Amino acid sequence: MKNLFRILVVLFATVNSLSAQNNNLLINAYNRKTTSLNGPWKYIVDPYENGFYNYRYEPFENQSNPGKAAFFTNSKPDNKSDLVEYDFDKMDNILVPGDWNTQKENLYYYEGTVWYKKSFDYDLKDANRAFAYFEASNYQTDVYLNGKKLGRHVGGFTPFNFEITDIVKPQDNFLVVKVDNKRIKDGVPTLNTDWWNYGGITRDIKIIETSKNFIQDYFIQLAPKNNKLIKGYAKLDGEDIANKRVSISIPELKIKKEFTTDDTGQVSFEIDVKKVKYWSVNQPYLYDVTIETAEDKITDKIGFRTIETSGTNILLNGESVFLKGISIHEESPSRHGRGYSKEDAKQLLQWAKELGCNYVRLAHYPHNEHMVRLADQMGILVWEENPVYWTISWDNESTYENAENQLSELITRDKNRASVIIWSMANETPTSEARNSFLNKLAKFTRAKDPTRLISAALEQSSYNGSNTIRTIHDPFAETVDILSFNQYIGWYDGLPEKCSAISWKIDINKPVIISEFGAGAKYGLHGDKEERWTEEYQEDLYLQTLKMLDQIDQLKGISPWILVDFRSPRRVLAEIQEGWNRKGLISEQGEKKKAFFVLKNYYDNKKTE
Ligand code: GCB
């Protein structure tokens, strides 16, 4: 009986410990009333999770009285005899945002739990509500305010928030955040990746203050295939949200429309527009848009464009476009750790522009929001990607839910960005029944959530009917995607660059093709002949040969070679060359441009956009 009671308590606590689900995510954190919690935080490294479990490995938070041993209680001894075996305030500081790996030498390879603590005062207006908003932390995050659990979030690259209205006090709050970046087989991504598994609160954290009933989410974009109609919705959150007036205004278009919410606090709308300056690469025009209720008002800058495919063409505002792209990892060019700032984003996107790009592939997971907001301003088209990479546990239902949740959070965050044109479901996922149905389900979910954008995935190529020189795409998921994208490494993992001239492509599917990756490793400053691995000349030759080969593909509508900048990867261990870096960058981590950069730039300068 006692045991049954204990099981019930544990069950209740588990169900009750809310996970952050994207359906309460506040969008447009940039234009709300916020207080930053960035800066120095106290931290405790806890590989055995002493602060989370008791000695029987039961989570303290599931116990009716966790006692002082649980780190989230942030306890101090009551008197000189009292035993408390930790003290956040005596610990060292770590900066938030920021990965721990590149801030602390002894945490460079660390994968496990670190506890963060920040004390703060907060003056919440009586009539208002407050939320702790995380732009991202990797990978599993448990959040506690003043000793109470706010919830858990799983996934390293998307935002989440928890309401703190009833817990936050004018003084002496302590926010304790447990971040665990252990790789797990059933996770998304799974155990193996070719990038650094940076741990920590890697992006901004802030308190967002709202009115009691506020505008939580909205979608304001042109309807698919109709450039004269804005279609969308707005969603309120609160206890009194039914039957409320919501106005949408775009002063420059002389639009001011009012709508009334339904029982769930939502409005769906259609607004006719006539003379729109369409957002494009050459004219990335953004309109000031205001969404307003009696209690709340939020503004955004939104561009209007259509994106669709027709046969083998990609049409931006009805005109065919060739995507001159580059793949990018989210690494800071100055700090050589996980990127998070506007300056990081600016440097990466400026390099892409310098290369002649009109398009970037943000690989292999959602990047920070600065990237897409800047892309909106700079006129750069964007491919965004879910971290379904290589061999996820396709059969595991909770792995699917996790993947869907991460993608859903990304779409929720970025669905008003004109620059974003493609949602990528996955990267290099070997075909199988389970994988095909996983990806099809994900694509169906994505189309329902956002019918305005294109769906793709970086697929794999294969030989045509066993021929070594004829290549094709043989993947059932090719039927589902709008754009047929695939990675190929002929000349690097598959022969030498000269092999490209022997290859021909036979792709029978009537869709636009994007080569989502090709590339070769080169150490900046290492010179030799073009057959010598790791030299700039080898990489340069591979680009020359590959571009010539790819130009033979009739449906070719874009490329995003691998990759803009050398990036950290623990897989890359070759002494003197790699030293923990994937060297396929066109630019070294020190910002030096390799010869291949200029080959690609020259190709783009001479390539017609349409
Ligand atoms: C790939 C992967 C990418 C790797 C790259 C490489 O196909 O998609 O994540 O970093 O190859 O360098 O091998």
Side-chain angles (χ1 to χ4, degrees):
M1 187 62 193
K2 212 167 135 202
N3 262 347
L4 181 68
F5 179 71
R6 236 183 50 200
I7 290 169
L8 284 177
V9 168
V10 170
L11 260 182
F12 179 72
T14 315
V15 173
N16 209 26
S17 92
L18 286 176
S19 288
Q21 275 159 4
N22 65 78
N23 57 12
N24 66 3
L25 185 63
L26 277 67
I27 69 159
N28 192 3
Y30 289 73
N31 290 309
R32 294 181 185 266
K33 184 182 176 204
T34 58
T35 304
S36 174
L37 293 178
N38 289 349
W41 286 54
K42 294 294 177 188
Y43 77 103
I44 298 175
V45 182
D46 186 18
Y48 292 4
E49 308 206 292
N50 282 325
F52 191 68
Y53 296 105
N54 71 8
Y55 68 101
R56 288 202 182 109
Y57 222 62
E58 287 162 348
F60 285 121
E61 66 189 33
N62 291 352
Q63 294 161 32
S64 51
N65 179 11
K68 292 180 178 176
F71 288 0
F72 53 84
T73 62
N74 185 33
S75 297
K76 306 278 179 199
D78 281 335
N79 53 55
K80 65 181 185 188
S81 314
D82 204 8
L83 178 65
V84 181
E85 291 188 81
Y86 66 94
D87 184 345
F88 273 109
D89 295 314
K90 291 193 172 138
M91 302 304 286
D92 190 10
N93 289 322
I94 190 162
L95 287 179
V96 171
D99 62 80
W100 62 59
N101 316 73
T102 59
Q103 286 193 61
K104 306 285 172 188
E105 222 176 303
N106 61 339
L107 297 182
Y108 188 58
Y109 284 106
Y110 181 68
E111 298 187 303
T113 282
V114 172
W115 294 82
Y116 290 71
K117 197 270 300 181
K118 178 114 184 151
S119 296
F120 63 97
D121 298 338
Y122 194 79
D123 199 11
L124 176 62
K125 261 204 5 225
D126 259 359
N128 282 356
R129 294 165 69 187
F131 296 82
Y133 180 90
F134 293 72
E135 290 200 0
S137 68
N138 188 34
Y139 168 78
Q140 177 167 295
T141 309
D142 291 275
V143 186
Y144 309 82
L145 180 62
N146 301 338
K148 294 204 180 68
K149 177 114 184 192
L150 300 179
R152 168 174 287 178
H153 181 261
V154 177
F157 305 97
T158 43
F160 54 96
N161 47 248
F162 298 109
E163 181 153 15
I164 57 172
T165 310
D166 297 334
I167 307 175
V168 72
K169 312 176 288 186
Q171 277 170 341
D172 299 330
N173 296 285
F174 56 94
L175 188 58
V176 174
V177 183
K178 174 186 185 291
V179 186
D180 181 357
N181 74 332
K182 270 195 295 296
R183 287 167 294 119
I184 32 186
K185 184 168 180 304
D186 292 336
V188 182
T190 179
L191 295 170
N192 206 353
T193 65
D194 188 17
W195 70 81
W196 206 273
N197 178 28
Y198 292 114
I201 306 178
T202 48
R203 296 185 192 154
D204 290 356
I205 164 163
K206 47 190 126 189
I207 294 177
I208 298 183
E209 187 166 333
T210 70
S211 49
K212 275 264 167 322
N213 303 291
F214 67 94
I215 302 153
Q216 180 216 318
D217 187 16
Y218 52 86
F219 190 16
I220 305 177
Q221 294 278 281
L222 287 178
K225 300 189 185 189
N226 186 348
N227 65 0
K228 299 272 181 279
L229 186 72
I230 290 175
K231 206 172 161 182
Y233 61 78
K235 204 171 137 219
L236 308 188
D237 186 286
E239 282 178 2
D240 184 19
I241 52 175
N243 213 17
K244 295 284 176 252
R245 306 291 281 171
V246 178
S247 82
I248 312 284
S249 51
I250 311 174
E252 213 186 316
L253 290 173
K254 300 198 171 46
I255 290 173
K256 183 163 173 110
K257 297 271 179 200
E258 292 223 327
F259 306 93
T260 305
T261 59
D262 64 14
D263 288 353
T264 66
Q266 289 212 45
V267 292
S268 298
F269 48 78
E270 294 194 348
I271 303 171
D272 293 323
V273 282
K274 286 191 195 91
K275 282 201 149 180
V276 184
K277 280 185 225 156
Y278 294 108
W279 185 97
S280 68
V281 169
N282 295 327
Q283 189 193 25
Y285 199 80
L286 301 173
Y287 285 95
D288 287 316
V289 178
T290 303
I291 306 104
E292 202 168 349
T293 65
E295 276 183 65
D296 194 16
K297 177 177 173 176
I298 189 160
T299 60
D300 206 345
K301 285 192 171 300
I302 298 182
F304 298 108
R305 53 101 194 94
T306 56
I307 189 78
E308 61 194 306
T309 63
S310 169
T312 63
N313 285 316
I314 301 171
L315 305 180
L316 175 65
N317 298 319
E319 283 173 25
S320 176
V321 61
F322 185 92
L323 303 178
K324 303 174 176 180
I326 189 75
S327 296
I328 303 181
H329 259 300
E330 190 192 38
E331 239 170 48
S332 163
S334 55
R335 290 185 319 278
H336 303 148
R338 175 66 70 228
Y340 54 75
S341 69
K342 198 168 178 178
E343 290 64 42
D344 295 335
K346 212 179 255 170
Q347 177 66 80
L348 293 169
L349 293 179
Q350 263 166 8
W351 274 333
K353 274 261 167 181
E354 221 182 296
L355 190 57
C357 294
N358 58 11
Y359 163 70
V360 291
R361 172 184 181 211
L362 303 185
H364 282 299
Y365 41 76
H367 290 211
N368 65 78
E369 196 172 339
H370 291 298
M371 288 294 273
V372 287
R373 288 198 172 255
L374 271 176
D376 256 16
Q377 290 167 25
M378 293 168 75
I380 300 177
L381 299 161
V382 177
W383 155 307
E384 291 208 89
E385 190 158 304
N386 208 27
V388 173
Y389 185 89
W390 290 349
T391 50
I392 297 292
S393 295
W394 305 112
D395 281 322
N396 186 327
E397 187 56 31
S398 72
T399 302
Y400 174 80
E401 276 160 21
N402 178 354
E404 186 185 283
N405 189 55
Q406 293 190 48
L407 184 57
S408 178
E409 286 168 344
L410 173 65
I411 298 172
T412 300
R413 188 192 77 179
D414 288 346
K415 63 187 175 302
N416 292 309
R417 304 282 75 84
S419 54
V420 179
I421 53 167
I422 299 168
W423 301 123
S424 166
M425 303 293 102
N427 178 76
E428 286 185 357
T429 49
T431 62
S432 71
E433 286 277 310
R435 170 272 199 186
N436 302 343
S437 69
F438 185 112
L439 291 189
N440 276 319
K441 197 167 160 195
L442 206 53
K444 196 167 166 204
F445 166 81
T446 306
R447 285 217 163 88
K449 191 164 168 84
D450 178 9
T452 71
R453 291 180 174 80
L454 306 174
I455 284 183
S456 196
L459 305 178
E460 294 176 302
Q461 48 103 38
S462 53
S463 71
Y464 187 84
N465 279 345
S467 156
N468 192 29
T469 53
I470 311 175
R471 300 295 171 92
T472 191
I473 302 302
H474 191 67
D475 182 334
F477 195 56
E479 299 299 323
T480 304
V481 294
D482 298 307
I483 296 183
L484 196 56
S485 309
F486 60 92
N487 302 346
Q488 70 78 29
Y489 281 90
I490 296 162
W492 183 256
Y493 294 124
D494 177 0
L496 295 177
E498 64 183 22
K499 183 167 181 183
C500 294
S501 60
I503 300 287
S504 60
W505 294 85
K506 195 163 161 38
I507 299 169
D508 301 327
I509 303 164
N510 190 38
K511 292 183 181 180
V513 165
I514 292 181
I515 308 302
S516 31
E517 284 178 32
F518 68 84
K523 173 114 195 245
Y524 173 77
L526 186 67
H527 295 288
D529 71 58
K530 62 187 174 64
E531 282 175 9
E532 190 179 337
R533 292 262 175 189
W534 309 111
T535 61
E536 286 193 47
E537 286 71 18
Y538 186 111
Q539 189 190 39
E540 178 186 39
D541 188 44
L542 179 124
Y543 269 71
L544 286 167
Q545 306 277 354
T546 305
L547 292 168
K548 213 188 292 167
M549 170 183 74
L550 297 179
D551 270 337
Q552 317 280 321
I553 301 175
D554 286 344
Q555 305 104 305
L556 188 74
K557 292 299 164 196
I559 59 174
S560 52
W562 194 253
I563 186 172
L564 185 63
V565 193
D566 288 352
F567 61 97
R568 282 191 209 270
S569 169
R571 294 168 63 85
R572 307 297 174 176
V573 295
L574 182 61
E576 291 166 15
I577 302 284
Q578 295 175 315
E579 312 274 10
W581 293 84
N582 183 313
R583 292 291 177 204
K584 296 192 189 70
L586 294 176
I587 302 177
S588 76
E589 80 278 15
Q590 302 301 338
E592 300 136 329
K593 298 186 176 93
K594 304 178 194 173
K595 287 179 135 194
F597 180 97
F598 300 98
V599 173
L600 186 60
K601 180 171 166 46
N602 184 47
Y603 176 80
Y604 285 159
D605 287 348
N606 292 303
K607 182 95 187 160
K608 286 215 209 80
T609 312
E610 66 303 335

